[in-house]
Amino acid sequence: MFRHTFYCLLVTLGLATFSGCERGPLENPNWPQRYPAAGTVSYQGKPIEGADVTFTNTTAGSTGTGKTDADGKFQLTTYVENDGVVAGEHIVAIRRVDVVDNTPADVDLSAGGEAVPPTITWIIPEKYSNSAKSGLTATISETERNEFTFDLE
């Protein structure tokens, strides 16, 4: 009896797994409509790799994020990878820093050793990391292609 129940459970789980794969990522009906959005970030004419890009629509209370690749290109995600962002006006923040841990490797923090503050180097000016101060905006369209170029100085 147990063996039969076990096999039935395995078959049911297997079917559920395969049917889930056919549909792709699950979409929540409560999520707002999103539109694909992408772009490029450069600083002083050079592409910036590893920058965090954030689009915030304050009216809709929605935020999408992306990370730049070696060519400075990014795609935005709100809920599911590369699903885009809601339509409308967005304030934009772009942040790229290098953080160096200065605590010696032989310091055991779990045994009461003290950490040395890290060194933070801004790769692009810090002002761009705050959407309220960056001066960067973008309008996401429901009908047009949403491609943005941010050439920071």
mmCIF file with all atom_site columns, all heavy atoms in Angstrom, residues 101-109 113-117:
data_model
loop_
_atom_site.group_PDB
_atom_site.id
_atom_site.type_symbol
_atom_site.label_atom_id
_atom_site.label_alt_id
_atom_site.label_comp_id
_atom_site.label_asym_id
_atom_site.label_entity_id
_atom_site.label_seq_id
_atom_site.pdbx_PDB_ins_code
_atom_site.Cartn_x
_atom_site.Cartn_y
_atom_site.Cartn_z
_atom_site.occupancy
_atom_site.B_iso_or_equiv
_atom_site.pdbx_formal_charge
_atom_site.auth_seq_id
_atom_site.auth_comp_id
_atom_site.auth_asym_id
_atom_site.auth_atom_id
_atom_site.pdbx_PDB_model_num
ATOM 1  N N   . ASP A 1 101 ? 37.585 45.144 1.290  1.00 0.00 ? 101 ASP A N   1
ATOM 2  C CA  . ASP A 1 101 ? 37.567 44.750 2.700  1.00 0.00 ? 101 ASP A CA  1
ATOM 3  C C   . ASP A 1 101 ? 38.979 44.911 3.251  1.00 0.00 ? 101 ASP A C   1
ATOM 4  O O   . ASP A 1 101 ? 39.910 44.263 2.788  1.00 0.00 ? 101 ASP A O   1
ATOM 5  C CB  . ASP A 1 101 ? 37.094 43.306 2.827  1.00 0.00 ? 101 ASP A CB  1
ATOM 6  C CG  . ASP A 1 101 ? 36.990 42.839 4.266  1.00 0.00 ? 101 ASP A CG  1
ATOM 7  O OD1 . ASP A 1 101 ? 37.240 43.641 5.193  1.00 0.00 ? 101 ASP A OD1 1
ATOM 8  O OD2 . ASP A 1 101 ? 36.655 41.656 4.473  1.00 0.00 ? 101 ASP A OD2 1
ATOM 9  N N   . ASN A 1 102 ? 39.142 45.773 4.251  1.00 0.00 ? 102 ASN A N   1
ATOM 10 C CA  . ASN A 1 102 ? 40.455 46.036 4.827  1.00 0.00 ? 102 ASN A CA  1
ATOM 11 C C   . ASN A 1 102 ? 40.753 45.227 6.089  1.00 0.00 ? 102 ASN A C   1
ATOM 12 O O   . ASN A 1 102 ? 41.812 45.378 6.690  1.00 0.00 ? 102 ASN A O   1
ATOM 13 C CB  . ASN A 1 102 ? 40.595 47.529 5.155  1.00 0.00 ? 102 ASN A CB  1
ATOM 14 C CG  . ASN A 1 102 ? 40.637 48.363 3.891  1.00 0.00 ? 102 ASN A CG  1
ATOM 15 O OD1 . ASN A 1 102 ? 41.236 47.974 2.893  1.00 0.00 ? 102 ASN A OD1 1
ATOM 16 N ND2 . ASN A 1 102 ? 39.979 49.505 3.927  1.00 0.00 ? 102 ASN A ND2 1
ATOM 17 N N   . THR A 1 103 ? 39.812 44.392 6.503  1.00 0.00 ? 103 THR A N   1
ATOM 18 C CA  . THR A 1 103 ? 40.029 43.573 7.690  1.00 0.00 ? 103 THR A CA  1
ATOM 19 C C   . THR A 1 103 ? 40.999 42.448 7.334  1.00 0.00 ? 103 THR A C   1
ATOM 20 O O   . THR A 1 103 ? 40.750 41.704 6.389  1.00 0.00 ? 103 THR A O   1
ATOM 21 C CB  . THR A 1 103 ? 38.696 42.994 8.202  1.00 0.00 ? 103 THR A CB  1
ATOM 22 O OG1 . THR A 1 103 ? 37.800 44.071 8.480  1.00 0.00 ? 103 THR A OG1 1
ATOM 23 C CG2 . THR A 1 103 ? 38.902 42.156 9.449  1.00 0.00 ? 103 THR A CG2 1
ATOM 24 N N   . PRO A 1 104 ? 42.105 42.322 8.085  1.00 0.00 ? 104 PRO A N   1
ATOM 25 C CA  . PRO A 1 104 ? 43.064 41.243 7.793  1.00 0.00 ? 104 PRO A CA  1
ATOM 26 C C   . PRO A 1 104 ? 42.399 39.869 7.846  1.00 0.00 ? 104 PRO A C   1
ATOM 27 O O   . PRO A 1 104 ? 41.484 39.640 8.650  1.00 0.00 ? 104 PRO A O   1
ATOM 28 C CB  . PRO A 1 104 ? 44.115 41.386 8.900  1.00 0.00 ? 104 PRO A CB  1
ATOM 29 C CG  . PRO A 1 104 ? 44.011 42.811 9.344  1.00 0.00 ? 104 PRO A CG  1
ATOM 30 C CD  . PRO A 1 104 ? 42.549 43.170 9.193  1.00 0.00 ? 104 PRO A CD  1
ATOM 31 N N   . ALA A 1 105 ? 42.848 38.970 7.005  1.00 0.00 ? 105 ALA A N   1
ATOM 32 C CA  . ALA A 1 105 ? 42.266 37.633 6.905  1.00 0.00 ? 105 ALA A CA  1
ATOM 33 C C   . ALA A 1 105 ? 42.373 36.858 8.218  1.00 0.00 ? 105 ALA A C   1
ATOM 34 O O   . ALA A 1 105 ? 41.541 35.986 8.493  1.00 0.00 ? 105 ALA A O   1
ATOM 35 C CB  . ALA A 1 105 ? 42.930 36.857 5.774  1.00 0.00 ? 105 ALA A CB  1
ATOM 36 N N   . ASP A 1 106 ? 43.373 37.144 9.025  1.00 0.00 ? 106 ASP A N   1
ATOM 37 C CA  . ASP A 1 106 ? 43.558 36.384 10.263 1.00 0.00 ? 106 ASP A CA  1
ATOM 38 C C   . ASP A 1 106 ? 42.710 36.904 11.430 1.00 0.00 ? 106 ASP A C   1
ATOM 39 O O   . ASP A 1 106 ? 42.762 36.359 12.533 1.00 0.00 ? 106 ASP A O   1
ATOM 40 C CB  . ASP A 1 106 ? 45.036 36.348 10.666 1.00 0.00 ? 106 ASP A CB  1
ATOM 41 C CG  . ASP A 1 106 ? 45.599 37.737 10.964 1.00 0.00 ? 106 ASP A CG  1
ATOM 42 O OD1 . ASP A 1 106 ? 44.983 38.735 10.540 1.00 0.00 ? 106 ASP A OD1 1
ATOM 43 O OD2 . ASP A 1 106 ? 46.664 37.809 11.611 1.00 0.00 ? 106 ASP A OD2 1
ATOM 44 N N   . VAL A 1 107 ? 41.900 37.949 11.227 1.00 0.00 ? 107 VAL A N   1
ATOM 45 C CA  . VAL A 1 107 ? 41.041 38.473 12.283 1.00 0.00 ? 107 VAL A CA  1
ATOM 46 C C   . VAL A 1 107 ? 39.748 37.661 12.305 1.00 0.00 ? 107 VAL A C   1
ATOM 47 O O   . VAL A 1 107 ? 39.045 37.576 11.306 1.00 0.00 ? 107 VAL A O   1
ATOM 48 C CB  . VAL A 1 107 ? 40.733 39.976 12.064 1.00 0.00 ? 107 VAL A CB  1
ATOM 49 C CG1 . VAL A 1 107 ? 39.693 40.465 13.066 1.00 0.00 ? 107 VAL A CG1 1
ATOM 50 C CG2 . VAL A 1 107 ? 42.002 40.792 12.167 1.00 0.00 ? 107 VAL A CG2 1
ATOM 51 N N   . ASP A 1 108 ? 39.461 37.055 13.464 1.00 0.00 ? 108 ASP A N   1
ATOM 52 C CA  . ASP A 1 108 ? 38.253 36.244 13.626 1.00 0.00 ? 108 ASP A CA  1
ATOM 53 C C   . ASP A 1 108 ? 37.152 37.117 14.223 1.00 0.00 ? 108 ASP A C   1
ATOM 54 O O   . ASP A 1 108 ? 37.120 37.353 15.432 1.00 0.00 ? 108 ASP A O   1
ATOM 55 C CB  . ASP A 1 108 ? 38.554 35.044 14.523 1.00 0.00 ? 108 ASP A CB  1
ATOM 56 C CG  . ASP A 1 108 ? 37.384 34.075 14.610 1.00 0.00 ? 108 ASP A CG  1
ATOM 57 O OD1 . ASP A 1 108 ? 36.300 34.384 14.058 1.00 0.00 ? 108 ASP A OD1 1
ATOM 58 O OD2 . ASP A 1 108 ? 37.560 33.010 15.240 1.00 0.00 ? 108 ASP A OD2 1
ATOM 59 N N   . LEU A 1 109 ? 36.256 37.587 13.370 1.00 0.00 ? 109 LEU A N   1
ATOM 60 C CA  . LEU A 1 109 ? 35.186 38.469 13.821 1.00 0.00 ? 109 LEU A CA  1
ATOM 61 C C   . LEU A 1 109 ? 34.221 37.750 14.761 1.00 0.00 ? 109 LEU A C   1
ATOM 62 O O   . LEU A 1 109 ? 33.667 38.363 15.668 1.00 0.00 ? 109 LEU A O   1
ATOM 63 C CB  . LEU A 1 109 ? 34.436 39.042 12.621 1.00 0.00 ? 109 LEU A CB  1
ATOM 64 C CG  . LEU A 1 109 ? 35.271 39.885 11.651 1.00 0.00 ? 109 LEU A CG  1
ATOM 65 C CD1 . LEU A 1 109 ? 34.426 40.300 10.457 1.00 0.00 ? 109 LEU A CD1 1
ATOM 66 C CD2 . LEU A 1 109 ? 35.859 41.095 12.352 1.00 0.00 ? 109 LEU A CD2 1
ATOM 67 N N   . GLY A 1 113 ? 36.991 39.733 17.256 1.00 0.00 ? 113 GLY A N   1
ATOM 68 C CA  . GLY A 1 113 ? 37.932 40.578 16.520 1.00 0.00 ? 113 GLY A CA  1
ATOM 69 C C   . GLY A 1 113 ? 37.217 41.763 15.901 1.00 0.00 ? 113 GLY A C   1
ATOM 70 O O   . GLY A 1 113 ? 36.018 41.705 15.618 1.00 0.00 ? 113 GLY A O   1
ATOM 71 N N   . GLU A 1 114 ? 37.940 42.844 15.725 1.00 0.00 ? 114 GLU A N   1
ATOM 72 C CA  . GLU A 1 114 ? 37.324 44.058 15.189 1.00 0.00 ? 114 GLU A CA  1
ATOM 73 C C   . GLU A 1 114 ? 37.583 44.201 13.695 1.00 0.00 ? 114 GLU A C   1
ATOM 74 O O   . GLU A 1 114 ? 38.710 44.033 13.240 1.00 0.00 ? 114 GLU A O   1
ATOM 75 C CB  . GLU A 1 114 ? 37.856 45.287 15.930 1.00 0.00 ? 114 GLU A CB  1
ATOM 76 C CG  . GLU A 1 114 ? 37.361 45.372 17.357 1.00 0.00 ? 114 GLU A CG  1
ATOM 77 C CD  . GLU A 1 114 ? 37.679 46.709 17.990 1.00 0.00 ? 114 GLU A CD  1
ATOM 78 O OE1 . GLU A 1 114 ? 37.660 47.733 17.275 1.00 0.00 ? 114 GLU A OE1 1
ATOM 79 O OE2 . GLU A 1 114 ? 37.937 46.704 19.200 1.00 0.00 ? 114 GLU A OE2 1
ATOM 80 N N   . ALA A 1 115 ? 36.519 44.542 12.984 1.00 0.00 ? 115 ALA A N   1
ATOM 81 C CA  . ALA A 1 115 ? 36.622 44.775 11.549 1.00 0.00 ? 115 ALA A CA  1
ATOM 82 C C   . ALA A 1 115 ? 37.212 46.155 11.293 1.00 0.00 ? 115 ALA A C   1
ATOM 83 O O   . ALA A 1 115 ? 36.955 47.105 12.032 1.00 0.00 ? 115 ALA A O   1
ATOM 84 C CB  . ALA A 1 115 ? 35.253 44.662 10.890 1.00 0.00 ? 115 ALA A CB  1
ATOM 85 N N   . VAL A 1 116 ? 37.996 46.243 10.242 1.00 0.00 ? 116 VAL A N   1
ATOM 86 C CA  . VAL A 1 116 ? 38.535 47.520 9.797  1.00 0.00 ? 116 VAL A CA  1
ATOM 87 C C   . VAL A 1 116 ? 37.567 48.045 8.732  1.00 0.00 ? 116 VAL A C   1
ATOM 88 O O   . VAL A 1 116 ? 37.134 47.292 7.860  1.00 0.00 ? 116 VAL A O   1
ATOM 89 C CB  . VAL A 1 116 ? 39.947 47.334 9.202  1.00 0.00 ? 116 VAL A CB  1
ATOM 90 C CG1 . VAL A 1 116 ? 40.492 48.638 8.660  1.00 0.00 ? 116 VAL A CG1 1
ATOM 91 C CG2 . VAL A 1 116 ? 40.887 46.736 10.245 1.00 0.00 ? 116 VAL A CG2 1
ATOM 92 N N   . PRO A 1 117 ? 37.184 49.324 8.793  1.00 0.00 ? 117 PRO A N   1
ATOM 93 C CA  . PRO A 1 117 ? 36.244 49.848 7.789  1.00 0.00 ? 117 PRO A CA  1
ATOM 94 C C   . PRO A 1 117 ? 36.763 49.604 6.367  1.00 0.00 ? 117 PRO A C   1
ATOM 95 O O   . PRO A 1 117 ? 37.959 49.729 6.102  1.00 0.00 ? 117 PRO A O   1
ATOM 96 C CB  . PRO A 1 117 ? 36.183 51.339 8.095  1.00 0.00 ? 117 PRO A CB  1
ATOM 97 C CG  . PRO A 1 117 ? 36.571 51.447 9.540  1.00 0.00 ? 117 PRO A CG  1
ATOM 98 C CD  . PRO A 1 117 ? 37.571 50.352 9.762  1.00 0.00 ? 117 PRO A CD  1
#
